[in-house]
Each structure stands twice: as structure tokens, then as C-alpha cells.
Amino acid sequence: MSDLPDQTVIQAHAEVIRGLEPFARENLSLLKSVEESWQPSDVLPDMTGEGWPEAVARLRQQARAVPDGLLVVLVGNTVTEEALPAYQTMLNRHPGVTDATGASEDGWALWTRGWTAEENRHGEILSRYLYLTGRVDLRAVEVTTQHLLRNGFDPGTGNDTYRGLVYTSFQERATKISHGNTARLANESGDPLLGKICALVTGDESRHEEAYKRFVSKIFEVDPSGAMVAFAEMMRHVVAMPARRMSDGGEGLFDRFSAVAQRIGVYTARDYAEIIEHLVGLWNVRALTGLTSAGAEAQEYLGKLADRYRALAERAAARPLPKRAERFSWLFGRSC
Ligand SMILES: [Fe+2]
Ligand SMILES: [Fe+2]
């Protein structure tokens, strides 16, 4: 784990974040109103309508074209989305953005609840799709979600709100990339409905990514050295994926899921390097001046980081892929 900040730093950062409450409020426009939001029912077969058997049959027919590897990644993404209570809890652990009552009108609290309300549709639509396909062992999937929620998730921010917002910037971009690639592969394999579902989710993740990045941009404006150090500290260890502690009762499930995601190109080491480069560029990390010595040290570290990860990714890509197929309870014990 990276060096976690002490309470004095955490409280000083919380003060800055409190000062940015009006900025959080301004950016509520990146959320959509309920009226203009898509809902899972807009896309999935209408079970009250006349033609529901045909609609379900069509869905199942198209879903047969989805290869096992893509199905595994889709299940992993679904489980990740279904663990949303862990992520709302995470945000509320960070001082300055905490929703003090659970129904607070504070700008940060409004953001967190609005964000959660949009995210909640992701697990819902993906789970319902998986249910209707008849292609996965739904009980094994549900067991995985229950385990993940019980096991919890530590993003490694030490409850420092600067680090928390760096984490969410990184993570929303990562999920955008992952759902976006899943959409593309679904379309290519012949399931346009799944392509559409994943594209809708990608659109949400993209707005969320934009918001969290703006929040951190603002922190860079008001406290450049603090922001720089927080960014660097979050990057000193591999960014923890939210579903890292997923389990279906056995061992190593997340690693097997990640191996498939890497193999089929849904989320790869290259994507990881790209996200770092994107954030370093966006936050103008290399060009900032007037930093404290800790800030300058962090800047030096961050400036070279994407190249380091890119070199690692290229080296990994040059190695032959492991032949071993991964076994999944989600696929009734089949390997892929
Ligand atoms: Fe999501
Ligand atoms: Fe998200």
C-alpha cells in the first residue's frame, strides 16, 4: 500500500473540498434528469406486451452468438456494477464530500446520490440481460456478487478525498473503456442488443469520468502540490480494481476474469498505460511550476510513468499468451 496521509493532511484536503462545493453543484449538469435518463425497460423485451415470446426468443437467438470469453467478461463487469453499495459507501467515507444526513442538499451529496442513481441502472440492465439469455449459471453469478459485497473493497485512498477523486477519475475511465470494448465485440459477434446495452452504460461512464476529472482539475488549480502528491501516491501501486475481491467460493476468480479481459482485448495493460498518459496530459502534470519539493518529486515520478507502463505492456504483449484455459462456475464449469 502507498504511504497513506495523516489526519492533518486529510483534514486540510477536506477544507479545500468544502470550498469547492459550489463547483460540485455547477457540475451536477453532467448528470441527467430522471426524465431524460434511459431505463433498462426501454431496451429489454416488454414482458407485458403482446409479442414478448418472440422478443425473448430473438434475444436468446442473438445471445447465442456471444463467445464464452466475452460472456465471462460481461459477467465480471456485471458483478462489478452490482457491488455499487460498496462504491457509494466509499465516497461517503471521504471527508468533505460526505452526505451528512443521507438526504443532504449539499452539492457533493447531491452529486454522489445522483451518480449512484445513474450507476444503479448498470447492474440492473446487465443482470436482466444475462437472465434472459439463459447462457450463464445465474446462481453462481449472484453468489459472486454476494461474496464481493461481503468481502468489501479498499481503493487504497486512506480516506484522503484528493486521492478518492483521483481514484474515481481513473476508474470511471477504465469502466468506460471496458464497457465500450464489450459493446464493440458484442456488435462484431452478432448481438446488437448487447452492443446497445453496453453502449448506454458506456455513455453514462463517460459523463461520470468527465465530472471526476473536472473535480481533480479544480483541485490542481487551488492546491497544485497537494493534487500532484495525491495523484502520484495513488499511482505508486497498481490501481485497485473494484471487483478485486470477487469470489464464487473458490480462489483466484478475479485473476482469471482479468486474464480473459486482457486476452480478448476488453481491458488490457495498454489501456492502463493510456489512462495514466491521458490524466497526466489533462492535468498538465509535466508543465506545472511553483511546486513544493514533495510536489516536484511527485511530478518527476508521474512524468515518466505512462512510458514505464507502456514498456511493460509491450513486453507482456510480446510474450506468447498462456495456453491454459480458465474455468468458470459462471459458465457451468466450462473453460474458455
Ligand atoms: Fe457503472
Ligand atoms: Fe461508473
Side-chain angles (χ1 to χ4, degrees), residues 81 115 118-120 122-123 172 175 179 201 204-205 208:
E81 295 286 353
W115 170 82
E118 288 194 356
E119 287 283 345
N120 191 52
H122 299 173
E172 292 289 41
T175 39
H179 287 298
V201 174
D204 285 3
E205 305 294 10
H208 300 164

Side-chain angles (χ1 to χ4, degrees), residues 258-275:
S258 298
V260 177
Q262 165 88 26
R263 189 181 74 213
I264 69 172
V266 164
Y267 185 70
T268 68
R270 281 198 185 105
D271 294 320
Y272 192 93
E274 184 279 335
I275 296 172

Side-chain angles (χ1 to χ4, degrees), residues 241-264:
M241 297 299 276
R244 194 173 49 161
R245 291 163 66 84
M246 66 161 60
S247 166
D248 54 2
E251 296 293 311
L253 178 59
F254 182 76
D255 290 342
R256 284 183 281 127
F257 154 66
S258 298
V260 177
Q262 165 88 26
R263 189 181 74 213
I264 69 172

Side-chain angles (χ1 to χ4, degrees), residues 98-331:
T98 310
D99 184 345
T101 63
S104 163
E105 289 299 307
D106 177 84
W108 288 110
L110 290 173
W111 165 264
T112 299
R113 292 204 304 277
W115 170 82
T116 305
E118 288 194 356
E119 287 283 345
N120 191 52
R121 290 135 64 248
H122 299 173
E124 188 67 42
I125 194 170
L126 292 168
S127 295
R128 266 194 237 170
Y129 166 84
L130 286 173
Y131 168 68
L132 288 169
T133 64
R135 287 205 51 199
V136 297
D137 183 337
L138 213 62
R139 190 167 202 286
V141 177
E142 291 157 350
V143 161
T144 308
T145 300
Q146 190 170 357
H147 271 300
L148 176 58
L149 280 164
R150 286 179 69 125
N151 290 345
F153 151 65
D154 175 1
T157 63
N159 294 341
D160 167 24
T161 308
Y162 285 14
R163 295 188 196 190
L165 293 171
V166 167
Y167 179 83
T168 46
S169 299
F170 188 101
Q171 205 47 52
E172 292 289 41
R173 186 169 180 85
T175 39
K176 178 186 81 175
I177 290 169
S178 176
H179 287 298
N181 284 328
T182 308
R184 177 177 52 77
L185 292 170
N187 287 325
E188 284 171 13
S189 63
D191 188 343
L193 177 67
L194 178 59
K196 185 172 182 186
I197 289 170
C198 294
L200 286 171
V201 174
T202 306
D204 285 3
E205 305 294 10
S206 179
R207 282 183 291 107
H208 300 164
E209 175 200 351
E210 177 61 26
Y212 287 116
K213 287 190 313 196
R214 282 190 203 174
F215 298 152
V216 178
S217 294
K218 198 71 183 169
I219 300 173
F220 264 101
E221 255 175 70
V222 297
D223 181 8
S225 292
M228 195 71 83
V229 170
F231 184 17
E233 289 303 321
M234 279 312 290
M235 295 300 124
R236 283 190 198 276
H237 295 268
V238 173
V239 175
M241 297 299 276
R244 194 173 49 161
R245 291 163 66 84
M246 66 161 60
S247 166
D248 54 2
E251 296 293 311
L253 178 59
F254 182 76
D255 290 342
R256 284 183 281 127
F257 154 66
S258 298
V260 177
Q262 165 88 26
R263 189 181 74 213
I264 69 172
V266 164
Y267 185 70
T268 68
R270 281 198 185 105
D271 294 320
Y272 192 93
E274 184 279 335
I275 296 172
I276 296 174
E277 185 53 41
H278 172 79
L279 296 176
V280 164
L282 179 80
W283 293 329
N284 202 22
V285 162
R286 293 189 186 93
L288 284 184
T289 52
L291 297 167
T292 61
S293 65
E297 202 184 303
Q299 178 181 42
E300 168 82 18
Y301 169 75
L302 287 165
K304 300 176 192 147
L305 196 58
D307 281 346
R308 272 178 43 197
Y309 273 104
R310 214 174 281 125
L312 283 173
E314 295 313 324
R315 232 175 300 152
R319 282 196 295 270
L321 285 171
K323 292 254 178 337
R324 193 167 56 92
E326 310 288 354
R327 201 169 166 277
F328 289 94
S329 59
W330 304 335
L331 298 182

